[in-house]
Amino acid sequence: MDTPRATFVSRRLLAEAHRLHGRWAQVHGLLAECLDEYDRRSWRFERDDEVELAAGRPAP
């Protein structure tokens, strides 16, 4: 896993933790960063990443 993808995955997991605790402002900001990173380098991400972004939460 390269650094941009690791950062992406970390943001997704942190966003999920904030969601579970009702911290919606933090969730919104982190998901916006994830989407921006995906838009800049979509070729670096896996299909599961795309599914998670579309669902708005990490896959189980």
Side-chain angles (χ1 to χ4, degrees):
M1 180 181 305
D2 62 10
T3 301
R5 184 154 187 286
T7 302
F8 171 84
V9 171
S10 298
R11 283 185 187 128
R12 293 288 299 125
L13 293 173
L14 185 57
E16 179 64 5
H18 285 313
R19 185 192 68 79
L20 292 173
H21 294 289
R23 298 181 195 130
W24 294 104
Q26 290 91 342
V27 171
H28 177 74
L30 288 166
L31 290 179
E33 290 176 24
C34 287
L35 289 169
D36 288 344
E37 182 66 24
Y38 179 81
D39 287 343
R40 284 192 304 273
R41 298 186 178 118
S42 62
W43 54 270
R44 287 190 168 198
F45 300 98
E46 298 175 2
R47 178 72 180 135
D48 288 345
D49 298 330
E50 294 172 357
V51 170
E52 288 179 11
L53 281 173
R57 63 176 15 175

